[in-house]
């Protein structure tokens, strides 16, 4: 035999109780709710009857929460907090007119910026804010919706989707060589100042693929910002691994030199990274679908 369903929870009475519990005063609760103290008292009594327990200890001068009342008050506070957040989230989603995407300087200027007209054609009423983000993946500011990030795809607590895998090659600014010979072998680069992007991982991986022993550690300068790294190489400050499709114009103009033919595909790549609940918002899902399509169509 199926149990009979409980009557609907008396939400008006719960709301009256939550206010009374917060103040431990029916008169102040009534003022907040815009009703009479008698109405608050009546609602609380109906809730006590529904729950089958006393929520307040009453005397002539005051009311105080009982143990059951304190327990139920804490539960109500948690539920109302979640409900309030849900209301804010829904309102924000419904009124959203723009999205914010964190992006590094090089991928932003040399890849994403060249596809903005395509986005506008598809979504003319959605604003797009490209936020300069040279550092790591970070969403704590509450403003960034998604990020294009370079890495291995592992960002705990976040969703990451592979977007673009670029080939790399060592590149040198002519000023660094100062008329001297270009290194003939990969090991010769160890005699030049190495510039690392974010960490030593990519150089270590490249030297390993070339059969050059490094002992797992390399000297050099680590630079987080891809645009600063490129400027340093162009001005002859060191040799770096360049993402070939993003430095095509500098190679064609002779501002950068590739000392070796051939190229290398690193294990790291660009990913689209976002919080797990991002796809609940139609505008963010639309951007995700668009950029994944763009990356597939225009994959170098």
């Amino acid at each position: 035999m199926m149990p009979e369903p409980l009557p609907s929870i008396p939400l008006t009475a719960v709301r009256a109780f939550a206010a009374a519990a917060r103040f431990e005063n029916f008169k102040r609760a009534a003022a907040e709710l815009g009703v009479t103290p008698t109405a608050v008292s009546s609602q609380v009594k109906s809730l006590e009857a529904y729950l089958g327990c006393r929520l307040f200890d009453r005397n002539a001068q005051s009311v105080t929460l009982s143990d059951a009342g304190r327990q139920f008050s804490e539960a109500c506070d948690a539920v109302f907090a979640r409900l309030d957040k849900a209301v804010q989230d829904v309102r924000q989603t419904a009124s959203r007119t723009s999205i914010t995407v964190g992006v590094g300087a090089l991928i932003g200027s040399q890849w994403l910026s060249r596809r903005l007209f395509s986005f506008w054609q598809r979504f003319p009423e959605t604003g797009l804010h490209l936020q300069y983000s040279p550092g790591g993946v970070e969403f704590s500011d509450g403003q960034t919706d998604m990020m294009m990030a370079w890495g291995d795809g592992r960002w705990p607590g976040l969703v990451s989707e592979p977007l673009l895998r670029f080939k790399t090659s060592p590149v040198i600014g002519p000023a660094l060589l100062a008329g001297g010979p270009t290194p003939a072998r990969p090991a010769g680069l160890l005699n030049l100042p190495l510039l690392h992007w974010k960490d030593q991982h990519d150089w270590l991986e490249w030297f390993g693929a070339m059969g050059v022993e490094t002992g797992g550690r390399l000297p050099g300068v680590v630079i987080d910002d891809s645009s600063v790294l490129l400027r340093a190489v162009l001005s002859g400050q060191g040799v770096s691994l360049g993402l070939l499709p993003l430095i095509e114009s500098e190679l064609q103009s002779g501002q950068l030199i590739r000392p070796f033919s051939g190229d290398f595909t690193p294990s790291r790549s660009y990913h689209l990274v976002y919080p797990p609940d991002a796809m609940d918002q139609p505008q963010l899902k639309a951007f995700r679908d668009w950029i994944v399509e763009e990356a597939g169509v225009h994959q170098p």
Side-chain angles (χ1 to χ4, degrees), residues 130-142:
L130 299 185
Q131 185 179 62
Y132 178 50
S133 303
V137 173
E138 182 61 62
F139 290 93
S140 62
D141 62 0

Side-chain angles (χ1 to χ4, degrees), residues 1-263:
M1 181 176 178
M2 294 290 292
E4 293 185 8
L6 290 173
S8 299
I9 297 175
L11 295 179
T12 301
V14 171
R15 184 165 174 256
F17 163 76
R22 188 163 57 253
F23 296 116
E24 287 193 307
N25 185 294
F26 286 1
K27 186 175 182 179
R28 291 179 64 186
E32 179 181 275
L33 298 173
V35 297
T36 65
T38 301
V40 171
S41 178
S42 176
Q43 290 289 349
V44 170
K45 287 180 179 178
S46 70
L47 183 60
E48 288 176 323
Y50 174 80
L51 294 174
C53 64
R54 189 178 69 257
L55 298 174
F56 286 97
D57 293 323
R58 299 166 173 83
N59 58 45
Q61 283 76 35
S62 64
V63 294
T64 57
L65 284 167
S66 66
D67 290 342
R70 186 165 287 102
Q71 179 184 2
F72 192 62
S73 174
E74 291 173 357
C76 288
D77 288 344
V79 169
F80 282 125
R82 290 183 61 185
L83 183 60
D84 183 61
K85 184 179 185 305
V87 169
Q88 293 180 23
D89 289 346
V90 169
R91 284 177 173 171
Q92 182 180 12
T93 299
S95 62
R96 175 185 285 272
T97 58
S98 66
I99 59 179
T100 299
V101 179
V103 63
L106 198 58
I107 190 67
S109 62
Q110 299 300 320
W111 191 86
L112 185 55
S113 67
R114 300 179 182 185
R115 290 159 176 82
L116 297 180
F117 185 70
S118 167
F119 179 81
W120 177 82
Q121 284 183 308
R122 186 85 64 87
F123 309 105
E125 296 183 0
T126 300
L128 178 60
H129 176 200
L130 299 185
Q131 185 179 62
Y132 178 50
S133 303
V137 173
E138 182 61 62
F139 290 93
S140 62
D141 62 0
Q143 303 298 318
T144 306
D145 297 308
M146 295 178 164
M147 295 191 73
M148 289 185 69
W150 176 264
D152 59 9
R154 292 180 292 180
W155 287 278
L158 298 171
V159 177
S160 68
E161 298 188 58
L163 274 184
L164 296 163
R165 185 171 295 281
F166 292 142
K167 295 182 182 299
T168 65
S169 176
V171 290
I172 303 173
L176 179 64
L177 301 176
T182 301
R185 298 178 181 276
L189 295 180
L190 294 174
N191 298 318
L192 297 175
L194 298 178
L195 301 178
H196 306 274
W197 185 31
K198 300 183 183 294
D199 56 34
Q200 297 184 4
H201 177 276
D202 294 338
W203 265 124
L204 288 171
E205 190 174 52
W206 184 85
F207 277 118
M210 298 300 113
V212 178
E213 179 59 44
T214 63
R217 185 174 178 82
L218 293 168
V221 178
V222 176
I223 301 175
D224 286 342
D225 190 323
S226 57
S227 64
V228 174
L229 178 66
L230 178 59
R231 290 298 168 192
V233 179
L234 289 170
S235 63
Q237 305 306 307
V239 56
S240 175
L241 284 171
L243 300 175
L244 294 179
L246 305 185
I247 55 172
E248 185 176 348
S249 62
E250 288 82 2
L251 289 169
Q252 290 180 350
S253 66
Q255 292 177 280
L256 291 176
I257 299 170
R258 292 179 62 185
F260 314 115
S261 60
D263 44 49

